[in-house]
Amino acid sequence: MLLDLARSRRILFVGGKGGVGKTSVAAALALARARDGARVLVVSTDPAHSLGEAWDHRLSDASTRVYEAGAGFVDAVEIDPQSTIDRHFATVADTMTRLLPDRLHQSARDHLDQARSAPGSHESAVLERIAQLIESSADTHDLVIFDTAPSGHTLRLLALPQQLTGWTETLLASRDRSERFAAAARSVVGTKDPEPTADSELRRTLIARRDRFAHMRTSITDPEQTSFIVVGIAERLPVAESIEVVRQLDALGIAPAAIVVNRRSPSDAGPVLAERREREEEHLAVLRAAAEGIPITQIPLLPGDLAGGDALAALADQLID
């Protein structure tokens, strides 16, 4: 079922409570789709990256090939917000240096240094990189899987495209009003419009940013393109968090298409695990009732560490059974 979902989507977000196996599920699903012949990009947005450990590869903000199977392959990225921030501010600093008089360069640099560490800069940088990867992968990959940070961080991140698009629209409208007023003033005194300045370049930058976030918002709320897979385990707190994630995703207009219940205890491996499985069934009943209509895939507790291609292949087999 999960492989069918991956075949029919271009973007998948995999999320849930911390420590429930999101990264392993994302990596195994990427591997399963690659074995199916697809070109897959799997991206970690979690500041505490573990995607490299899952693949037993050293990863970075640049794409790295971690698996190949005939025509199919998996490329992996661990988003580095600081690299994104540095690239963004280097571009802004270059623009300011070219367009501002020398006497203003130092104050501009001071302003950028303060903005670099402003609250929200990390989240904005991650969102910017996600939007870039969605755009740049359109021609190079069939599927992009985002291995996300724990639930609360991810839900705040997914709400940002609409907020930032609206903020940019407001800023553009404000600049439009200022420019119309300035043009009217110039016509009264008979002066000509000046050559393009920093204002016009800023406007182009704002429009590009607005369009990028608007495209991202359209993509992640289109159920034909994008779905969210909620990963959890059959315990009281993870089940409660999974239910809350489903509720908030609905509010954001993002389709929660599947739930994975990871590390299910066996019922035939002694009384302790048998009793644990009975309690898991009680928690699963709560989850089924609250997430009615969303398919639930159960993954058994597997031996060994889920790291490296062989271990991920074993998990992939469980995901597609």
Side-chain angles (χ1 to χ4, degrees):
M1 179 270 159
L2 286 177
L3 184 56
D4 290 338
L5 179 65
R7 285 170 175 156
S8 63
R9 302 295 190 274
R10 202 185 96 67
I11 303 168
L12 290 175
F13 287 89
V14 178
K17 186 175 174 61
V20 298
K22 299 184 300 297
T23 298
S24 298
V25 169
L29 188 55
L31 185 149
R33 188 71 180 95
R35 290 193 309 199
D36 198 41
R39 304 166 299 168
V40 184
L41 176 65
V42 60
V43 181
S44 171
T45 71
D46 191 342
H49 296 299
S50 56
L51 187 61
E53 283 77 9
W55 285 105
D56 198 19
H57 274 266
R58 183 181 295 277
L59 300 180
S60 69
D61 198 72
S63 178
T64 300
R65 183 70 45 89
V66 294
Y67 180 79
E68 290 185 90
F73 59 80
V74 178
D75 293 333
V77 170
E78 288 184 341
I79 288 179
D80 179 0
Q82 192 58 51
S83 293
T84 303
I85 290 172
D86 290 344
R87 286 193 298 269
H88 172 71
F89 279 97
T91 301
V92 173
D94 178 67
T95 301
M96 285 185 166
T97 300
R98 287 188 292 105
L99 296 176
L100 293 177
D102 291 345
R103 59 186 173 80
L104 295 179
H105 286 182
Q106 185 57 52
S107 61
R109 284 193 291 268
D110 292 342
H111 175 75
L112 289 179
D113 287 342
Q114 293 176 3
R116 187 188 297 270
S117 58
S121 59
H122 179 282
E123 289 80 3
S124 296
V126 171
L127 192 71
E128 184 90 23
R129 188 70 174 119
I130 290 174
Q132 290 171 353
L133 289 168
I134 288 175
E135 286 184 357
S136 65
S137 65
D139 296 325
T140 58
H141 295 84
D142 305 302
L143 173 66
V144 184
I145 300 176
F146 289 101
D147 166 34
T148 69
S151 307
H153 181 275
T154 297
L155 291 167
R156 288 193 300 273
L157 195 68
L158 292 175
L160 274 177
Q162 184 174 14
Q163 296 170 3
L164 289 176
T165 301
W167 175 83
T168 308
E169 288 281 8
T170 300
L171 187 57
L172 282 167
S174 176
R175 298 196 71 82
D176 283 344
R177 287 193 297 270
S178 297
E179 289 171 6
R180 287 196 299 270
F181 178 81
R186 287 193 295 269
S187 67
V188 169
V189 298
T191 59
K192 295 181 179 180
D193 288 343
E195 295 297 317
T197 63
D199 278 349
S200 59
E201 186 150 347
L202 175 60
R203 180 179 176 79
R204 287 195 297 272
T205 300
L206 288 172
I207 290 173
R209 186 178 178 86
R210 178 202 64 190
D211 292 346
R212 179 179 295 122
F213 287 134
H215 176 263
M216 180 182 176
R217 175 67 183 169
T218 299
S219 296
I220 67 176
T221 56
D222 179 358
E224 299 298 316
Q225 287 192 68
T226 303
S227 288
F228 199 105
I229 298 173
V230 180
V231 180
I233 55 178
E235 295 179 359
R236 185 184 302 276
L237 291 180
V239 163
E241 186 156 336
S242 295
I243 292 170
E244 180 62 16
V245 168
V246 168
R247 187 190 69 78
Q248 293 193 38
L249 286 171
D250 282 333
L252 290 170
I254 299 170
I259 296 173
V260 174
V261 178
N262 200 18
R263 302 200 288 261
R264 287 284 273 128
S265 300
S267 60
D268 57 355
V272 173
L273 289 177
E275 180 180 346
R276 180 177 177 83
R277 186 175 178 91
E278 289 181 8
R279 294 198 176 189
E280 289 175 358
E281 290 294 344
E282 296 173 5
H283 297 312
L284 276 177
V286 174
L287 180 61
R288 289 191 186 97
E292 185 178 2
I294 302 176
I296 297 177
T297 297
Q298 300 182 47
I299 305 299
L301 182 65
L302 297 175
D305 295 325
L306 286 176
D310 291 343
L312 292 176
L315 178 55
D317 292 339
Q318 296 292 332
L319 290 173
I320 63 178
D321 283 344

